[in-house]
Amino acid sequence: MGRGNRSASISNKWRCCYPSYYLKRPKRLALLFIAFVFVSFFVWDRQTLLREHQVEVADLRKELTDLQNLLEDLNNAQGGAVGKIGLGGKNIKPIKDVPDDPIDTQRREKVKEAMLHAWGSYEKYAWGQDELQPQSKSGVNSFGGLGATLIDSLDTLYIMGLHEQFEKAKEWVSSSLDFNKDYEASVFETTIRVVGGLLSAYDLSGDKVFLDKARDIADRLLPAWNTSTGIPYNIINLSHGDAHNPGWTAGDSILADSGTEQLEFIALSQRTGDPKYQQKVENVITQLNKIFPEDGLLPIYIDPNSGTTNPSPITFGAMGDSFYEYLLKVWIQGNKTSAVKNYRDMWEKSMNGLLTLIRRSKPSSFAYICEKDGDSLSDKMDELACFAPGMLALGSSGFDPDKSQKFLSLAEELAWTCYNFYESTPTKLAGENYFFHSGQDMSVGTSWNILRPETVESLFYLWRLTGNKTYQEWGWNIFQAFEKNSRVESGYVGLKDVNSGVKDNMMQSFFLAETLKYLYLLFSPSSVIPLDQWVFNTEAHPLRIVARNEGEHVENSNEKHKSFSRLRGRKEGLVG
């Protein structure tokens, strides 16, 4: 329409507003009245329809929310294979559609039932105490009364969808967990079990009570790092803050105990915005890097005052193991950025050193990791060292293709050896360590089994990274051996002797934290705790991966936090 026609149209429109216009035209007035009634009815009808539509939309949204919650519950029941659907038909968090094998589903439910049996027994006979003694149906405070089994189990309960049990445990943490205890705590054990367990529960659920408690216990541990080098003492009084090393180390700190707090304390700094935790533990790696040998293999005893090592064994078993594990996992935790490249560099040196410790038995050619003392190698391997196949598989992708395949193949060889630690005994459960003699392959050394998780842990990683279902079969065989030999009326116990099957009277907290969790994940789709979004600490507590940049300032990530979609000495040999 041109400008002139538009002006004429406006003029005609406004002419109808004068009363005389209608008085001279009664027919028009009648027609207008009829039109007015019609329009009024139409508007009223549209408003009514709109209100009804709004109610209907609200009802549909509610139904969609209910369906979404149902899907999330199915997600848990089916191991996380169901996606979370958002409004508008869009995927909030797309995940790969992985068909769930009916056999895997059945096995996963069996593991879940085992967890319910273990947890229910703990709840009945040892609630709030550190560990359950199933044979005597009593609790024992082997970690100073910090509720070790309860805290260690939080993320396992959550991942398995046992929300009623999780909520009850959370209430205990909120109302009863008290760290002000006159107790000489292991910095290492307290960090991996308690700090790690609380942080994982926070990352999964988003409930701040877990973060607050993690910060409380970490603050009580921090004085252990107040040495001239910053390499921590390994024992601290939780009430007084007095720190020292065990008498049997002649004042030295232990390699694994001093180099296995990085994941937890870095994560705590990221989630609280307070850099002090990260600074303390990263300084340890800086100090150890100053004395790091070309083969990347450190003796297990370190002087916390001079920062130098003292003559002692080199091992991937007790007192050495998780130091090497954390070099790799801090690199993963930092999303493999340049800020954490030094960890990867140190780890690669150590893996080249590990190659020098590999021997193969006769006649079956089982690959195993020797221990080294001075210039001599010992043909002994701890079951604790069976974490190494999983670690090698997890880190293999960071090498060039040829080296990657070399380390992955070694991981598979070592996993076969570790599985045979189980298969070689009458009970089909592994002993604590093994010796290799020419012409005899492997023989049990220390013959107890305390429900350790290391072999199952490696089977989990190898299955996730290769898709080879053989590792699931091996894991299922191990689970059945635990069911046959370790399950009792009131929980699970270890064996005093894997040859005779004589039982002990302890359900280690890591059986719920690690062994059952890794078995459950072994039969769950890879979308449950995906390895590109989570990293497991050495007590199997998953922590969210957060990218790090060079020289970045640690920021409080609380407000950005997103919860997981619903769905011992642990590393030390026992004395005696």
Side-chain angles (χ1 to χ4, degrees):
M1 182 184 295
R3 183 175 296 274
N5 291 334
R6 182 170 180 268
S7 298
S9 174
I10 292 172
S11 176
N12 289 333
K13 183 178 90 171
W14 284 105
R15 186 175 61 175
C16 70
C17 296
Y18 292 97
S20 60
Y21 180 78
Y22 298 105
L23 292 173
K24 295 178 182 178
R25 297 168 175 79
K27 289 183 179 180
R28 286 190 179 182
L29 184 60
L31 289 171
L32 183 63
F33 176 77
I34 293 169
F36 174 78
V37 171
F38 177 80
V39 170
S40 297
F41 176 80
F42 178 78
V43 170
W44 174 84
D45 186 60
R46 287 296 299 270
Q47 288 174 337
T48 302
L49 287 171
L50 181 59
R51 283 194 296 270
E52 291 175 352
H53 177 68
Q54 288 171 335
V55 171
E56 186 178 1
V57 168
D59 289 341
L60 286 171
R61 283 178 178 269
K62 184 179 184 303
E63 288 179 20
L64 184 56
T65 301
D66 291 339
L67 284 170
Q68 187 167 302
N69 289 333
L70 179 61
L71 279 170
E72 290 171 350
D73 290 335
L74 284 171
N75 194 18
N76 281 316
Q78 297 300 320
V82 182
K84 184 177 181 181
I85 300 174
L87 298 178
K90 296 180 180 178
N91 248 359
I92 292 175
K93 186 178 180 182
I95 57 177
K96 189 176 180 181
D97 184 17
V98 181
D100 203 3
D101 188 317
I103 294 176
D104 288 348
T105 303
Q106 184 181 44
R107 290 176 173 180
R108 188 168 65 243
E109 287 303 307
K110 290 287 188 182
V111 177
K112 184 175 180 178
E113 190 279 327
M115 178 65 185
L116 280 169
H117 178 63
W119 177 259
S121 300
Y122 169 77
E123 190 175 9
K124 184 174 181 179
Y125 297 111
W127 181 251
Q129 298 184 70
D130 286 327
E131 290 176 310
L132 169 66
Q133 295 176 314
Q135 304 274 41
S136 56
K137 298 181 181 179
S138 60
V140 59
N141 283 326
S142 39
F143 295 94
L146 304 182
T149 293
L150 189 146
I151 295 173
D152 247 352
S153 301
L154 286 166
D155 50 11
T156 306
L157 294 171
Y158 198 95
I159 290 167
M160 290 185 179
L162 300 172
H163 296 299
E164 181 181 337
Q165 292 83 351
F166 177 84
E167 288 298 323
K168 183 175 179 180
K170 183 182 78 172
E171 174 58 30
W172 184 90
V173 169
S174 177
S175 62
S176 301
L177 181 58
D178 179 16
F179 297 128
N180 188 26
K181 296 181 182 296
D182 186 9
Y183 172 68
E184 302 281 298
S186 163
V187 175
F188 166 73
E189 296 287 354
T190 307
T191 298
I192 66 173
R193 296 180 196 239
V194 181
V195 180
L198 290 168
L199 283 175
S200 184
Y202 171 68
D203 275 4
L204 289 164
S205 71
D207 198 309
K208 195 168 178 291
V209 66
F210 299 120
L211 182 62
D212 293 341
K213 291 290 186 179
R215 190 168 194 169
D216 181 2
I217 186 63
D219 285 340
R220 294 175 184 276
L221 297 175
L222 276 182
W225 279 265
N226 293 339
T227 65
S228 56
T229 61
I231 293 172
Y233 292 120
N234 299 149
I235 306 291
I236 192 167
N237 186 288
L238 294 180
S239 178
H240 306 141
D242 300 326
H244 59 90
N245 278 330
W248 50 270
T249 67
D252 285 336
S253 296
I254 299 166
L255 177 63
D257 286 30
S258 302
T260 311
E261 290 88 11
Q262 283 69 30
L263 281 178
E264 296 83 359
F265 277 60
I266 291 170
L268 187 57
S269 279
Q270 289 172 334
R271 286 146 183 78
T272 63
D274 191 335
K276 66 183 179 183
Y277 309 104
Q278 179 173 322
Q279 290 168 354
K280 290 284 188 183
V281 296
E282 294 217 296
N283 175 63
V284 175
I285 302 302
T286 300
Q287 296 301 319
L288 293 179
N289 204 11
K290 293 177 182 178
I291 60 167
F292 213 54
E294 197 55 39
D295 66 2
L297 301 178
L298 285 173
I300 59 174
Y301 289 156
I302 303 165
D303 187 329
N305 298 309
S306 67
T308 57
T309 59
N310 284 320
S312 50
I314 290 170
T315 178
F316 279 81
M319 298 188 286
D321 49 8
S322 49
F323 164 71
Y324 303 103
E325 177 187 356
Y326 271 35
L327 291 179
L328 173 67
K329 287 186 173 179
V330 174
W331 176 68
I332 294 171
Q333 180 189 40
N335 208 28
K336 307 175 184 179
T337 57
S338 60
V340 286
K341 186 177 182 297
N342 62 310
Y343 285 92
R344 174 76 195 198
D345 292 343
M346 292 174 72
W347 182 77
E348 289 193 8
K349 277 188 177 182
S350 297
M351 294 309 98
N352 288 330
L354 179 144
L355 293 177
T356 67
L357 304 180
I358 299 295
R359 285 182 175 174
R360 288 171 174 80
S361 71
K362 294 179 180 179
S364 301
S365 195
F366 288 118
Y368 60 96
I369 307 172
C370 294
E371 295 183 352
K372 186 175 183 180
D373 200 348
D375 293 327
S376 63
L377 294 181
S378 170
D379 294 298
K380 169 182 172 286
M381 181 174 170
D382 288 350
E383 198 279 337
L384 281 165
C386 285
F387 84 97
M391 175 188 68
L392 289 167
L394 187 61
S396 64
S397 62
F399 291 109
D400 64 63
D402 289 343
K403 209 165 187 180
S404 174
Q405 186 55 52
K406 177 181 180 179
F407 278 102
L408 183 58
S409 296
L410 177 59
E412 293 178 316
E413 282 192 81
L414 290 170
W416 171 238
T417 300
C418 291
Y419 176 59
N420 276 276
F421 284 173
Y422 287 78
E423 284 292 294
S424 63
T425 72
T427 59
K428 305 299 181 186
L429 289 176
E432 183 73 358
N433 51 52
Y434 284 77
F435 290 93
F436 295 83
H437 303 289
S438 181
Q440 298 178 27
D441 285 328
M442 62 180 70
S443 61
V444 177
T446 304
S447 61
W448 64 57
N449 178 291
I450 59 170
L451 310 170
R452 289 199 188 276
E454 283 73 25
T455 297
V456 173
E457 173 185 353
S458 284
L459 298 180
F460 160 71
Y461 280 114
L462 281 162
W463 173 72
R464 278 281 182 98
L465 297 166
T466 69
N468 187 341
K469 293 182 77 67
T470 297
Y471 299 117
Q472 290 182 307
E473 294 303 316
W474 293 355
W476 180 245
N477 292 341
I478 291 171
F479 173 69
Q480 288 182 302
F482 279 127
E483 287 291 287
K484 180 179 179 180
N485 296 281
S486 294
R487 182 167 179 148
V488 295
E489 178 191 353
S490 303
Y492 288 82
V493 295
L495 301 183
K496 294 180 179 179
D497 187 341
V498 295
N499 297 308
S500 68
V502 175
K503 295 172 172 56
D504 67 19
N505 186 29
M506 182 65 74
M507 187 172 76
Q508 305 282 343
S509 82
F510 54 68
F511 181 66
L512 293 82
E514 301 184 76
T515 310
L516 291 179
K517 182 188 295 153
Y518 280 131
L519 282 165
Y520 183 83
L521 293 172
L522 182 62
F523 302 113
S524 299
S526 57
S527 54
V528 182
I529 314 294
L531 296 180
D532 61 345
Q533 297 176 34
W534 299 84
V535 61
F536 290 89
N537 86 335
T538 197
E539 190 78 2
H541 296 308
L543 302 170
R544 281 193 178 275
I545 291 172
V546 179
R548 287 173 56 184
N549 299 309
E550 204 71 51
E552 72 174 359
H553 173 68
V554 176
E555 295 181 354
N556 191 329
S557 62
N558 288 348
E559 295 180 2
K560 299 178 183 178
H561 182 273
K562 294 180 180 178
S563 64
F564 176 68
S565 179
R566 262 196 299 161
L567 303 183
R568 107 194 121 152
R570 147 77 173 94
K571 296 289 183 182
E572 298 174 359
L574 300 183
V575 179

